[in-house]
Each structure stands twice: as structure tokens, then as C-alpha cells.
């Protein structure tokens, strides 16, 4: 009895210490990457594959995690109408917040007026025209692209919305099967444990990926690009911060009674991961796990988070607004309000077609301007140099917006455990960094016959032995 009491508290302490060291290593890697990028830019740009390799490892896990989460969530819900209600509320909210983000970017862009006085050379024009070749899809193409070629290709092609569609169909099918579908659900639950454990292993490569990504970005941009476009960069970063704190923070406090600072502190490691890789997708699997741990139900998390990554792009909306105004001013053809609004509404729709494309913000902007106002495409070359730095602010804002959206939609649909939220944000129910799953919290959502808790406990006792 004494030995058991002594070993029980020791295990979580070891896990916390190990992950603590991991994220300290990420911070050190980011600092070293910036230093290498400034001191040896040519060498730093050659390190780009390190960052790309780590992000690709994370993306490899996104489809199976989304599939398992949604199937388990829908399979445990008795009424299919609840899932439809979650999806409908989510899409309406995403559309409204996209319009709000566009409006804020429009106001700040007109106040700052940062593009006036810049020269557009022939080299800049050529660079801008080259961006139009980015693989941005049209709206019709985007909608048809949600349907995968086969059920398996949804996983192999890495398309989030294709995986979402297959998972929804499988979840509703298992729901309709009733008790006959329980063995399949239990099997998927075991697969989910395996996938999250693999993800936890991959996370130990984060310092290497962070070092390569930051070094390449710093080395390719250089100080001159940062100095000449500092006003646009700083204005964009400040706008994103104000949007997250004032707009989303107010909504979160009024509707859910949750402090945005507490929520973002809880997601601090994910923000660090995004900052070091410039990719919000690198934190998508962890956001799913952490939102479930926070107390939001599986169906809400499974539908809101993946859909939000394609439709709730608040940071991208602000970026496209400010960049469009910046380019029009730099080209010497400032747009009136009557010209700005139709262009931005067009970009609002076009952004859905470029979701998931690498460099989606720049690709969407280039494709949108080419279709709606071709004369401005030449000016895109002015922001190519700093786009990578601005993509970090886009990714952080998109991620924060989706985290807030998950809590809000959980509150509106009454699919959130308020007591659990308070416990987690107060630090009394820490997130398990080793498994990324919370057995005790998830037990309510599973069939009593599954026997998951005794089995998981047995695994832990065996591991201790």
C-alpha cells in the first residue's frame, strides 16, 4: 500500500517535466534559428526542409485523428439532428465572423494607409504576376473537391474536408446500426489511442522543425524587407491581437463566461508550435484533443474544428483586407469604399477555395485580384518578402478564432461541461501530454460495455511494473 501511494503521484510529475523540457527546447530552437538566419542567410535557407518535414509529419496524423474523433462523437449521439444543429450554427458563426474580420481590416487599413510612396519596379511586377500561378481553386471546384475519389483516398490525399465527409457518413451509419455498431466503435477507439500516442512521439521532433522553419524564414526575408514594410507588418499584428482580445474575448466572456486569456494560456504550447512553424495545421490535432479535455463534447469538437480550418479564417480575412489596400495605395490607385467592399466580398468567397493550400493567404489574394482587379496583381510582389512573417500572425489568429468558436458553439448547443472548463482552466485537471487523451472524461461518451477504463488502467499498471 505504501509503495503504491508513493509511485502514484510520481508518474504525472515525470510526464510534466519531460514535456516542459520539450517546449523549452522549442523556444531555444526558435532563438537559434533567428540567429542563424541573420548571421548566415544562405545556409539558413537550406534548412527549410527541416521545418517542412516536421509539419508534414503532423499533417500525416490529421486525417486519422479527425476521422476517429468524429466517428466516435457521432456514434455516441442518439439523435442525428443534434449533429446537424452543430454544423448549421458553426457555418453561420463562421460567415458572420469572417465579415467582422474583413470590416476590421478595412477600417485599420484605411487609417494606416501604409502603401503610399513605395515604388513598384519591373522586378516587383514580375514577382507579383508569378503568384497568380498558385494552386487556388474556384468555388465550384472547391465544393466538388469535398467529395473524394474513393473512401480511402480521403486519407491518402490529406484533404481535411474530404476526411470530414467520410467521417460524418461513417458516424451516421454506425449510429443507425445501434448495438451492432458498438464493436466497430470500440475498435475505432483503440485506433484513436494509437494515433494520439504516435502524435505525442512526433512532437519530440518539434525543436528540430522549429529551428529549420524559423532559420529559413529569417534568412530568406532579411532585415531590409522587414524595415521597408514594418508599418504594414506591425499594423497587421496589432490588428490581429485586438481582434482576438477585444472581439473574440468579449464574445467568449459574455456568452460562455470564459476569460480569453485563460483559454489562450491553456493553449500556450499550441501557439508556440504555430509560431515556430508558421502553420496552424501543425496544432490542429492537439486542438481537437485539448478541446475535448476542456469539456466540449466530441460531436462539437469533431465538426467545429476541422470545418473551422477551412471556413473560419479570421486572420486570413484581416490579411487580405489590409494587403489589398496596401497594394492599391502603393500602385498609386487608391480604392474608394465603393470599390473596396465588392473586392473584399469577392475575396471572402475566394478564400474558401484556397483553404488548405500552402501559402493560402498569398495564393488567395493573387487569384482574387487577378479575377476582380487585375491591375493590382503587379503590386503583390511588394509583400512577397514579408508574407512568411505575416503568415505567422494569420495562423495564430485563425487558430485562436477556431478555439474560441469551439467553446462558443459548445455553449450555444449546451454541449459543454462548465464545471470541467473551470477545473481545466484553473489548472486542477492537467492535460495528459503523453497520451493526449483523457480516459476518465471520455468515459461518459462511451458504451459501458466497452471496458475501456479497466483496460486503460491495466495498461498503466503494466507500464509501471
Amino acid at each position: 500500500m505504501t509503495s503504491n501511494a508513493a509511485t502514484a503521484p510520481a508518474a504525472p510529475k515525470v510526464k510534466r517535466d519531460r514535456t516542459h523540457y520539450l517546449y523549452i527546447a522549442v523556444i531555444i530552437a526558435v532563438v537559434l534559428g533567428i540567429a542563424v538566419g541573420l548571421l548566415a542567410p544562405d545556409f539558413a535557407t537550406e534548412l527549410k526542409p527541416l521545418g517542412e518535414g516536421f509539419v508534414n509529419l503532423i499533417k500525416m496524423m490529421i486525417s486519422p485523428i479527425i476521422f476517429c474523433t468524429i466517428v466516435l462523437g457521432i456514434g455516441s449521439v442518439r439523435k442525428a439532428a443534434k449533429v446537424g444543429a452543430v454544423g448549421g450554427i458553426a457555418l453561420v458563426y463562421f460567415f458572420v465572423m469572417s465579415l467582422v474580420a474583413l470590416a476590421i481590416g478595412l477600417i485599420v487599413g484605411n487609417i494606416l494607409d501604409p502603401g503610399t510612396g513605395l515604388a513598384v519596379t519591373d522586378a516587383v511586377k514580375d514577382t507579383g504576376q508569378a503568384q497568380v500561378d498558385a494552386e487556388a481553386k474556384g468555388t465550384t471546384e472547391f465544393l466538388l473537391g469535398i467529395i473524394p475519389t474513393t473512401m480511402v483516398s480521403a486519407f491518402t490525399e490529406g484533404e481535411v474536408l474530404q476526411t470530414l465527409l467520410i467521417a460524418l457518413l461513417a458516424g451516421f451509419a454506425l449510429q443507425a446500426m445501434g448495438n451492432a455498431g458498438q464493436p466497430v466503435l470500440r475498435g475505432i477507439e483503440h485506433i484513436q489511442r494509437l494515433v494520439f500516442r504516435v502524435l505525442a512521439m512526433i512532437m519530440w521532433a518539434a525543436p528540430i522543425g522549429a529551428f529549420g522553419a524559423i532559420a529559413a524564414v529569417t534568412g530568406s526575408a532579411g532585415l531590409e524587407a522587414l524595415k521597408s514594410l514594418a508599418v504594414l507588418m506591425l499594423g497587421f499584428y496589432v490588428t490581429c491581437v485586438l481582434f482576438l482580445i477585444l472581439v473574440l474575448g468579449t464574445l467568449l466572456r459574455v456568452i460562455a463566461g470564459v476569460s480569453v486569456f485563460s483559454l489562450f494560456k491553456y493553449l500556450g504550447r499550441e501557439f508556440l508550435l504555430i509560431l515556430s512553424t508558421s502553420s496552424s495545421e501543425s496544432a490542429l490535432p492537439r486542438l481537437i484533443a485539448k478541446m475535448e479535455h476542456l469539456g466540449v463534447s466530441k460531436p462539437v469538437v469533431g465538426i467545429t474544428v476541422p470545418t473551422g480550418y477551412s471556413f473560419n479564417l479570421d486572420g486570413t480575412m484581416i490579411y487580405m483586407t489590409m494587403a489589398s489596400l496596401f497594394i492599391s495605395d502603393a500602385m498609386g490607385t487608391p480604392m474608394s469604399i465603393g470599390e473596396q467592399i465588392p473586392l473584399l466580398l469577392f475575396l471572402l468567397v475566394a478564400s474558401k477555395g484556397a483553404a488548405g493550400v500552402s501559402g493560402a493567404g498569398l495564393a488567395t489574394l493573387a487569384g482574387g485580384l487577378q479575377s476582380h482587379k487585375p491591375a493590382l496583381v503587379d503590386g503583390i510582389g511588394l509583400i512577397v518578402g514579408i508574407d512568411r512573417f505575416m503568415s505567422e500572425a494569420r495562423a495564430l489568429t485563425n487558430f485562436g478564432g477556431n478555439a474560441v468558436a469551439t467553446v462558443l458553439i459548445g455553449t450555444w448547443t449546451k454541449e459543454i461541461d462548465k464545471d470541467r472548463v473551470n477545473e481545466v482552466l484553473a489548472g486542477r485537471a492537467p492535460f495528459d501530454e503523453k497520451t493526449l487523451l483523457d480516459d476518465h472524461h471520455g468515459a461518459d461518451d462511451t458504451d459501458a460495455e466497452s471496458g475501456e477504463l479497466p483496460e486503460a488502467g491495466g495498461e498503466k499498471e503494466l507500464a509501471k511494473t
Side-chain angles (χ1 to χ4, degrees):
M1 296 293 291
T2 307
S3 62
N4 288 343
T7 37
K13 184 176 180 182
V14 172
K15 287 189 289 186
R16 279 199 298 270
D17 286 345
R18 289 181 63 193
T19 56
H20 177 65
Y21 293 140
L22 168 63
Y23 288 92
I24 289 178
V26 171
I27 295 173
I28 294 173
V30 169
V31 174
L32 290 176
I34 293 173
V36 171
L38 293 176
L39 297 175
D42 293 335
F43 171 72
T45 54
E46 299 297 322
L47 298 175
K48 187 177 181 181
L50 293 178
E52 291 180 340
F54 174 71
V55 173
N56 288 340
L57 281 173
I58 298 291
K59 287 182 177 180
M60 174 181 74
M61 309 304 299
I62 290 177
S63 289
I65 287 174
I66 290 175
F67 179 80
C68 293
T69 302
I70 296 177
V71 171
L72 290 173
I74 296 177
S76 63
V77 174
R78 296 188 182 277
K79 294 182 180 179
K82 182 188 292 186
V83 178
V86 170
I89 292 172
L91 289 175
V92 171
Y93 171 82
F94 294 158
F95 180 75
V96 171
M97 291 313 298
S98 293
L99 289 177
V100 171
L102 282 174
I104 290 175
L106 188 68
I107 294 170
V108 175
N110 280 292
I111 292 174
L112 286 181
D113 195 21
T116 305
L118 286 178
V120 182
T121 63
D122 290 337
V124 168
K125 292 180 180 180
D126 293 340
T127 304
Q129 291 290 344
Q131 300 304 315
V132 182
D133 296 331
E135 299 176 7
K137 302 175 184 176
T139 305
T140 304
E141 225 180 320
F142 167 69
L143 293 174
L144 290 175
I146 296 176
I147 305 172
T149 307
T150 67
M151 288 187 70
V152 180
S153 67
F155 300 95
T156 58
E157 293 177 5
E159 294 287 343
V160 172
L161 290 181
Q162 289 185 0
T163 306
L164 178 64
L165 176 63
I166 295 299
L168 287 171
L169 294 174
F172 284 128
L174 287 170
Q175 185 186 63
M177 290 170 65
N179 291 334
Q182 289 303 315
V184 180
L185 285 173
R186 287 195 291 271
I188 293 175
E189 194 168 1
H190 284 293
I191 293 173
Q192 184 188 47
R193 292 176 186 277
L194 169 65
V195 170
F196 273 119
R197 183 58 65 94
V198 172
L199 177 64
M201 293 165 60
I202 290 174
M203 288 306 302
W204 286 97
I208 299 174
F211 172 73
I214 290 294
V217 170
T218 308
S220 61
L223 289 176
E224 291 306 315
L226 303 184
K227 289 178 183 176
S228 62
L229 298 171
V231 175
L232 177 62
M233 282 181 58
L234 291 176
F236 178 56
Y237 269 79
V238 170
T239 304
C240 288
V241 170
L242 292 177
F243 176 79
L244 288 173
I245 295 175
L246 297 182
V247 179
L248 296 183
T250 302
L251 282 174
L252 193 62
R253 171 62 72 182
V254 172
I255 296 171
V258 175
S259 166
V260 72
F261 297 105
S262 298
L263 179 63
F264 288 169
K265 180 183 177 182
Y266 171 62
L267 297 171
R269 293 183 173 185
E270 288 66 43
F271 279 113
L272 175 60
L273 183 63
I274 293 170
L275 184 65
S276 60
T277 60
S278 296
S279 171
S280 59
E281 286 189 342
S282 62
L284 188 153
R286 289 179 59 88
L287 179 61
I288 290 175
K290 278 203 162 182
M291 287 293 101
E292 287 186 7
H293 176 76
L294 185 65
V296 185
S297 70
K298 283 180 179 289
V300 172
V301 174
I303 292 171
T304 304
V305 174
T307 309
Y309 262 68
S310 291
F311 290 96
N312 191 35
L313 306 174
D314 298 329
T316 304
M317 296 296 106
I318 297 173
Y319 166 80
M320 290 195 299
T321 308
M322 295 184 67
S324 299
L325 297 178
F326 171 83
I327 290 169
S328 65
D329 289 342
M331 297 288 291
T333 57
M335 294 185 289
S336 65
I337 295 294
E339 292 176 304
Q340 292 173 18
I341 293 176
L343 171 62
L344 297 176
L345 291 177
F346 176 82
L347 289 173
L348 170 64
V349 177
S351 67
K352 313 311 177 193
V357 179
S358 178
L362 199 60
T364 303
L365 184 63
L369 291 179
Q370 175 67 23
S371 302
H372 197 80
K373 205 171 180 65
L376 296 180
V377 174
D378 291 343
I380 291 177
L382 288 168
I383 59 173
V384 169
I386 62 165
D387 178 72
R388 184 72 181 190
F389 284 95
M390 295 177 74
S391 74
E392 293 180 349
R394 287 199 303 264
L396 291 168
T397 308
N398 291 342
F399 177 83
N402 283 316
V404 171
T406 306
V407 176
L408 291 177
I409 293 168
T411 303
W412 284 324
T413 57
K414 298 180 180 179
E415 291 289 318
I416 187 171
D417 186 342
K418 294 293 183 65
D419 295 332
R420 175 74 179 185
V421 171
N422 294 331
E423 287 288 308
V424 171
L425 295 184
R428 292 188 291 270
F431 181 69
D432 189 346
E433 291 284 348
K434 186 175 181 181
T435 63
L436 307 184
L437 287 171
D438 184 9
D439 293 331
H440 298 285
H441 182 56
D444 296 336
D445 296 330
T446 57
D447 194 286
E449 298 174 0
S450 65
E452 286 303 313
L453 284 175
E455 184 173 334
E459 289 173 357
K460 291 178 180 176
E461 292 302 323
L462 182 60
K464 289 177 186 176
T465 305

